[in-house]
Structures are given as C-alpha cells and as structure tokens.
Amino acid sequence: MYRYDSTDQQLINERVSQYRGQMERHLAGELSEDELRPLRLQNGLYIQRHGPMLRIAIPYGMLSSAQLRKLAEISRRYDRGVGHFTTRQNMQLNWPQFEETPEILAELASVEMHAVQTSGNCIRNITSDHFAGVAPDELVDPRPYCELLRQWSTFHPEFAFLPRKFKIAVNAAAQDRAVIRAHDIGLEVVSDERGEIGFKVLVGGGLGRTPILGKVVREFLPRRHILSYLEAIVRLYNRYGRRDNMYKARIKILVQALGIDEFARQVEAEWAHLRDGETTVTDAEFDRIARHFEPPAWETLAAEDPVHSARLHTDKAFANWVKRCVHAHKTPGYAAVTLSLKAPGVAPGDISDVQMIAVADLADRFSFGELRVSHEQNVILADVKLGDLHEVWQIARSQRLATANIGLLTDMICCPGGDLCSLANARSLPIAEAVNDRFDDLDYLYDIGDISLNISGCMNSCGHHHVANIGILGVDKNDEEWYQITVGGQQGNGATIGKVIGPSFYAQEVPEVIDALIAVYLEQRTASERFIDTWQRVGVEPFKARAYAGRDRRRTAKVAGTGSNAKEIVNA
C-alpha cells in the first residue's frame, strides 16, 4: 500500500498544527463558532444531533493492520469503543469530545492518516473496488490511479470551495464493484485496440434528492491525460455549477441542464488549454506510484487445497460461510475474505475496538498485514491461503465477524440515520434491526438468494437506497417518521435507479412490506432468477399490490398499538 514520503508527512503534520491553533483560539473566545465552522469541516469535524462526529479518510478503502490498531486505540481512548465504516470507505467516530479532536488528528498523523477533505465542498475520498489488486476479472490494479488522484486532489487550491461536494470512483474490473455510475466522475479503466491503458470517463452521476446515473463524456482517455482532463471537468463545474441553491449545486444538475453533448464540448474547449501541460502524467510518475502496490510475497500453491476441500463436505456451517464470504483470487491457492459487519443486533458498518484488534491480528497472520473496507460497509482480507480459511473462520466467528450473509437480505447498507445524524428525517437503525429480526433464518435467506436492501435516513442517500433492489428512505410527515419504499435499483454494470412503489409506510409496517415483496418474488421467480431479474420481468404491479394489500389492517393495528412489534420499533 502507499506509504507517506517526507512531504506527505510534513503536510499532514502542519495541518494538525494549524487545526490545533484554530481550536485553541476558538476555546479562548478568539474565533466564533461561525468562524470555526469552515475550518473544522475542512478537518472532518461535524456537529451532529448529539455532539461532534469526526470522519476519518481511508483512501480507496486501504488500511494497514497498524492503522486499524490505531483506530481501535483512538475509539477506545477518545470515543465509546466503536467506529462506523461508511459507503465512502471512511470511518466515523460518533462520540468524540470537541476539544480533544486535535489530539485525535495528531494520533492519526502518527500512522499516516488524516481527516482532510472528508467534508466540505471539495473533492472527497477517492473510492474503488475493494478487491483491487486481487480480482481475477480486473484489467489492471486501479489503486495506483486512485493514489494519483488522491495526491492531485488533496489540498488542491482551486477546488477547495466548489459549489458542492465532489466524488470520484475508479473501477478496473469487468464487474463494476465501485458504483462508478453513481458518482460525479466515474472512471472505468479500459484499453484500446493497441493495448494502451486509458479511461472511459463518466460524469454527472449521483444519488441524493435527484438520483441520476452518470453519462459517458469520453470513451477513451489515454492515462497520461487523466489529471488535465479531470481538471477541465472540475474547472467547468467550479465556474458554472449552481451556488444559489444547494439542492441544485451538484455537477449532475449542470450536466442535465447543458446536455451531455454540450457539456462534453465545453470540457474539450477547457481541456485545450491544459492538454500536454504540466499536469501530463509521465510513465515514470506512474511507475513511482505503482511500486507502492507491487504484489505481496504470494507463495506458489496448488489451485485447490485438499484439506480445505474436505472440510467443505463435512462442515456445513463452514461451507455456508465460504459460499457467501470467500471470493475468488487471481493467484492460485489464495482467496479474498469478507468479514461481515452485519451480525444480528449490530448497527450495519459498526466495528468495536475489540473487533478492530482482532481484524488487525487476522491481517497480520493471514493477509500480509493489509485489509480493505468496502462501500457495502464490510471488511476484507484480500490474500488468505485456502488452507488457512478454516482457522480464519473460527477466529472471525468468535468475534461475531463471520455472519454468512454477504449478498443476502441482511447484508444491508445503512446510514446512522436520526439516531445520530442531524440531517436525518427518520431513524434507520431501528428499521435495520426490525428487518434483521424478521429475517433471522439463514436457511430462508439462502432460499431468497442474492438481493440488496439499503436504508437511508434522508434524501442525501448516504445509505445508497436508490441503487438497492429494495430501498428504504426515511421521510418526515407532520413530525412522524415514515418510510418510502423503492424497488428495482441495482449497482454494477447494469446500474439502475429504483422506483418508488407508492405512498410511504409507518415504521412498524416496513418488515411486513419487505416480507410481502419477497413473497411475490418467491412465487413468481423462475429457477435461475434473482430478485432483480423477476422484478424486471414482471414489473411493479404484483409487488405494489401485495405491499399495499394489508395496509388498512396494519394501520388499524398501529392506531390500536397492537401492530406487529409496533411499540418496539416506534419507541426504539
């Protein structure tokens, strides 16, 4: 993974010192709250519903075991012993003390980490495929390109105050696991007919209040031009993006207003001033960065391990875990492992300090001391020998990190919602818990098969509900929490935005509605169909009819206070 050089470390140390001085002046009454606000946001510090929240950058989801141990130490010393992984592959601390945040940033700097540009109207954390470097279907390792973009965008003086936040994702695999079509800029690494590596560039994607999938603005961009071309895009956005209305400030609105052809023409005109200039990336610079991502010392192993294969036949629980949580690796004898952060009774994406230490230990023993964070809010060990899988499973299971539900209904993406976030209209976590309680039978989940269910507490869509097969959005109606259901979204190469099926539901109705949607799928599916396939074949009407069929009965029960788990959910 990338390691700081002296310049990197100096920049971060100076930022910590600067922030410490700003905080001291604020506490001394020399800086008002309004004056401090943009300064603290530039260092990842929010004020949420109950207090501060600090968002820590994890570039393209890569962590060392030493960094994870430091996060465990920080969460124990300065927080409540829990960290939350987000869909941007970052970590959030939800209970730090305001005046202690300079100490936290200093601790992070000691292990080459920071909280810079995790907030504010700037280029945010670059994200990528959590299997980057080991995926059998990738053209090249995308992480060097992510690191190049990180270095270009960090502290970029021209792009520190954009009209709105700006997000970039990079994918280099045949299957898009980075949701590049839902980003302000999505980059797909491709090669031309001569074998030259470059990028297909998508622009104008995003979720939130106006969900839109990105459009191709350039089919092939040689890699040497990546910085100058992206600079042209962001310059155009910085000049013409809406600043009078925050709800229309994202680049997707500008692209929609101009049309993709006119937007592309204006980008090309701006690029003409930048092309072949000082931001052209040389092969030597690519090689310098790529050396940080050379493969680890993989052993020469057989493609199959006989002991591992035998265990798959004799241990059903282990076999189920392997089926759901173990993934193909491009090197024979190795596999990638997803450690699920979706155990029953745990907020999706939450990881305790004890679990962090356990994962760091697993990474050191079995995966070259490195790990990844997925945008689905799980943790990945990328380089595990097949012969070690059983031991990894046993250790992970002892730490409640081996729930065999990856890709299933309870592998939910979920934002913290109204329990913590000041922007939320409704709570997300009680809904996630209620769905988990309703679908607590793994055999039933395996029968349902591959399906995504995501939950957002507000229109900002931090839970990516728009690109889930079933999406749940919390809305506020007359100071009551209601939940809007979308169906038919998906991520990946064929990404689609889900459709709202109708009026929203009370909290206690949601598990029954999900149950109804699943029932239609199980009745209508063919032998090989996933939920999304059946939805696309039969359309919305059967699902909508079943979802609303028992609505009057449920409403009567809600008013009487006797509805299914009504009190537990409403009062959670």
Side-chain angles (χ1 to χ4, degrees):
M1 62 185 292
Y2 183 77
R3 298 302 309 271
Y4 282 9
D5 60 20
S6 58
T7 302
D8 294 315
Q9 192 65 56
Q10 181 180 349
L11 282 170
I12 296 305
N13 289 345
E14 289 178 355
R15 171 54 75 92
V16 172
S17 177
Q18 179 189 59
Y19 175 71
R20 189 189 298 279
Q22 293 163 348
M23 184 63 74
E24 288 172 352
R25 286 156 57 207
H26 171 68
L27 295 174
E30 298 171 13
L31 274 181
S32 70
E33 175 54 41
D34 287 343
E35 290 171 321
L36 181 69
R37 185 176 183 274
L39 304 177
R40 62 171 169 77
L41 287 174
Q42 290 171 7
N43 292 280
L45 181 62
Y46 291 74
I47 303 300
Q48 295 289 66
R49 189 176 297 272
H50 302 294
M53 179 272 282
L54 183 67
R55 184 178 294 147
I56 299 165
I58 304 176
Y60 39 93
M62 284 289 299
L63 278 172
S64 69
S65 58
Q67 289 172 330
L68 188 58
R69 286 194 176 88
K70 176 57 72 174
L71 291 174
E73 179 186 339
I74 289 171
S75 71
R76 187 186 309 117
R77 180 181 302 174
Y78 299 102
D79 204 271
R80 297 185 179 180
V82 176
H84 175 76
F85 288 121
T86 75
T87 50
R88 206 100 220 108
Q89 297 177 306
N90 292 317
M91 175 177 277
Q92 292 181 178
L93 299 178
N94 287 307
W95 301 100
Q97 294 298 310
F98 187 76
E99 63 276 6
E100 291 183 336
T101 51
E103 300 305 323
I104 297 175
L105 296 186
E107 295 270 9
L108 291 171
S110 72
V111 290
E112 302 177 8
M113 297 187 74
H114 60 74
V116 172
Q117 292 178 212
T118 59
S119 176
N121 296 333
C122 57
I123 297 174
R124 299 286 186 90
N125 191 41
I126 311 296
T127 59
S128 190
D129 181 6
H130 44 276
F131 297 129
V134 303
D137 65 334
E138 71 180 11
L139 177 64
V140 295
D141 186 345
R143 292 174 298 172
Y145 303 110
C146 294
E147 177 57 29
L148 177 70
L149 294 175
R150 185 196 71 81
Q151 294 187 23
W152 163 74
S153 61
T154 302
F155 299 129
H156 196 303
E158 189 176 349
F159 303 144
F161 298 98
L162 296 170
R164 197 70 176 89
K165 58 187 176 182
F166 202 91
K167 300 177 180 180
I168 301 173
V170 185
N171 177 62
Q175 181 64 32
D176 174 20
R177 288 179 288 268
V179 207
I180 61 172
R181 289 159 182 81
H183 281 74
D184 298 288
I185 292 177
L187 297 173
E188 182 178 349
V189 183
V190 294
S191 62
D192 66 7
E193 64 278 0
R194 297 169 300 173
E196 181 182 358
I197 295 296
F199 302 90
K200 177 187 286 188
V201 184
L202 297 95
V203 68
L207 303 179
R209 187 174 297 269
T210 309
I212 297 173
L213 296 178
K215 299 176 177 62
V216 176
V217 68
R218 206 169 215 282
E219 288 288 347
F220 185 81
L221 177 73
R223 71 175 191 173
R224 66 185 180 279
H225 294 310
I226 184 60
L227 297 187
S228 59
Y229 191 79
L230 262 59
E231 193 141 309
I233 291 175
V234 185
R235 277 190 175 184
L236 190 66
Y237 169 55
N238 204 17
R239 187 180 310 146
Y240 297 117
R242 296 279 297 269
R243 295 179 187 271
D244 61 325
N245 186 331
M246 68 175 295
Y247 301 118
K248 296 182 179 181
R250 300 293 292 272
I251 194 174
K252 61 189 176 184
I253 303 300
L254 178 62
V255 173
Q256 289 292 104
L258 292 175
I260 189 62
D261 292 337
E262 175 61 17
F263 184 86
R265 186 194 69 77
Q266 293 196 28
V267 170
E268 292 289 327
E270 180 67 30
W271 188 39
H273 304 292
L274 303 170
R275 184 173 181 169
D276 297 320
E278 61 183 13
T279 53
T280 302
V281 187
T282 65
D283 288 343
E285 177 63 5
F286 275 116
D287 292 343
R288 179 189 72 83
I289 294 177
R291 281 194 292 272
H292 288 276
F293 301 95
E294 290 180 352
W298 292 319
E299 297 179 22
T300 301
L301 302 171
E304 294 187 12
D305 183 282
V307 176
H308 168 67
S309 299
R311 285 193 175 114
L312 293 178
H313 293 290
T314 58
D315 191 330
K316 180 182 178 182
F318 175 62
N320 285 339
W321 178 77
V322 169
K323 181 179 180 180
R324 280 290 152 190
C325 301
V326 176
H327 317 274
H329 195 289
K330 69 180 183 182
T331 303
Y334 285 86
V337 172
T338 297
L339 302 174
S340 174
L341 300 184
K342 314 294 175 61
V346 177
D350 276 10
I351 182 169
S352 73
D353 59 327
V354 174
Q355 289 175 318
M356 290 186 226
I357 296 299
V359 173
D361 290 343
L362 285 170
D364 281 337
R365 288 185 60 191
F366 301 108
S367 194
F368 301 99
E370 293 182 356
L371 52 123
R372 287 91 176 286
V373 180
S374 71
H375 80 269
E376 288 101 343
Q377 301 174 294
N378 293 308
V379 177
I380 289 85
L381 302 174
D383 302 288
V384 180
K385 295 179 187 177
L386 295 180
D388 290 333
L389 286 173
H390 192 264
E391 188 173 0
V392 169
W393 171 66
Q394 289 178 314
I395 297 170
R397 186 167 60 167
S398 71
Q399 298 293 329
R400 301 197 72 208
L401 294 168
T403 305
N405 64 347
I406 301 303
L408 300 178
L409 187 69
T410 57
D411 182 21
M412 292 175 277
I413 295 176
C414 184
C415 74
D419 287 295
L420 295 170
C421 181
S422 59
L423 300 177
N425 297 314
R427 288 167 292 178
S428 302
L429 301 181
I431 300 301
E433 184 176 3
V435 172
N436 241 319
D437 290 345
R438 184 82 172 210
F439 297 91
D440 63 349
D441 184 340
L442 271 177
D443 288 335
Y444 185 44
L445 290 174
Y446 293 149
D447 184 37
I448 296 170
D450 291 331
I451 185 172
S452 58
L453 186 151
N454 299 349
I455 308 173
S456 296
C458 76
M459 287 299 296
N460 284 317
S461 191
C462 293
H464 289 190
H465 67 278
H466 290 297
V467 289
N469 300 163
I470 300 174
I472 303 173
L473 169 65
V475 295
D476 179 6
K477 290 186 179 182
N478 301 318
D479 295 324
E480 282 193 308
E481 296 181 351
W482 293 62
Y483 295 86
Q484 188 181 82
I485 306 296
T486 59
V487 182
Q490 62 177 330
Q491 55 186 53
N493 297 1
T496 54
I497 302 295
K499 295 180 171 62
V500 178
I501 63 170
S504 51
F505 298 91
Y506 288 121
Q508 76 272 17
E509 294 181 279
V510 173
E512 290 190 44
V513 173
I514 304 306
D515 209 1
L517 297 173
I518 297 299
V520 173
Y521 160 61
L522 295 178
E523 293 165 9
Q524 300 266 6
R525 69 181 176 181
T526 64
S528 61
E529 281 185 333
R530 303 165 300 162
F531 179 92
I532 190 64
D533 301 323
T534 302
W535 160 267
Q536 291 173 343
R537 178 172 57 82
V538 307
V540 64
E541 290 306 322
F543 292 92
K544 182 176 180 179
R546 186 72 61 88
Y548 290 96
R551 196 176 193 200
D552 291 340
R553 172 185 57 79
R554 292 194 298 265
R555 293 293 165 83
T556 300
K558 195 265 182 183
V559 172
T562 59
S564 173
N565 64 342
K567 293 181 180 178
E568 288 81 3
I569 298 176
V570 173
N571 296 325

